[in-house]
Amino acid sequence: MSGSTRARTRPTVWQWIGYAFGRTLDADLRDWVRRDLLGRNFYVRHLVRGMVPFLPIFAVFMMFPGPWWLRAQMVALAAVLGLIYCAAYMDQNRRHRLGKHGLDPDLLPESRRRQAVADRAAYEAIYGRTTTVTRRAIDPTAPERLER
């Protein structure tokens, strides 16, 4: 079986590096993108992927003159700041990447989806099932909007 006729399940190393820098992958890798952004351990994968664009900066820091420990501390400080920002904007980044690859941006990771269902069930157990009541539901002849 030829490699070109078989559907790919993972990007190549160069494709993954481009993906880490924000490039869009081919349509046949859409399932891999969905698993990458929403699957198990998505948080760790996001942090690792978010650090890849900083590697050239870290390399430049290590070439600065001065003692090695000072250069290592510069890299460590930049890595900590990069991780903080990467974690802070994870949801926005996930939504952007999902939309960029033609997937629904409102998809949630499996763990968050399960937590939302559990939270909703706990809420309904305490307060009962809630429904949205509109003016039209009470009186079908009433206008949809209130006139002022």
Side-chain angles (χ1 to χ4, degrees):
M1 181 187 281
S2 161
S4 62
T5 59
R6 192 176 71 201
R8 292 180 299 162
T9 58
R10 296 180 58 92
T12 65
V13 172
W14 296 112
Q15 286 176 322
W16 187 86
I17 291 171
Y19 174 70
F21 275 88
R23 197 160 171 244
T24 304
L25 293 176
D26 298 335
D28 60 341
L29 293 169
R30 193 172 286 161
D31 285 338
W32 181 87
V33 171
R34 186 183 46 76
R35 284 191 311 272
D36 181 56
L37 297 172
L38 303 172
R40 222 172 121 221
N41 299 323
F42 71 95
Y43 196 86
V44 174
R45 283 194 307 273
H46 176 78
L47 294 178
V48 170
R49 184 178 56 247
M51 289 292 99
V52 170
F54 289 106
L55 292 177
I57 297 169
F58 298 160
V60 169
F61 283 173
M62 289 307 288
M63 290 183 218
F64 280 7
W68 70 269
W69 59 268
L70 182 61
R71 293 177 286 171
Q73 285 182 343
M74 288 171 42
V75 170
L77 177 62
V80 168
L81 289 173
L83 285 170
I84 289 170
Y85 278 101
C86 191
Y89 291 104
M90 181 175 6
D91 290 336
Q92 292 90 337
N93 191 335
R94 184 191 71 243
R95 290 176 54 89
H96 176 73
R97 283 183 186 267
L98 285 169
K100 194 173 183 180
H101 286 88
L103 298 165
D104 182 12
D106 292 328
L107 290 174
L108 291 174
E110 185 62 34
S111 58
R112 290 189 187 174
R113 199 172 332 138
R114 280 192 304 257
Q115 184 63 43
V117 169
D119 289 347
R120 183 67 184 178
Y123 177 88
E124 288 178 359
I126 295 170
Y127 300 106
R129 186 163 195 91
T130 60
T131 58
T132 304
V133 178
T134 62
R135 185 178 175 106
R136 184 161 287 199
I138 296 169
D139 180 11
T141 61
E144 189 69 34
R145 298 178 68 192
L146 294 174
E147 299 294 327
R148 289 190 183 215

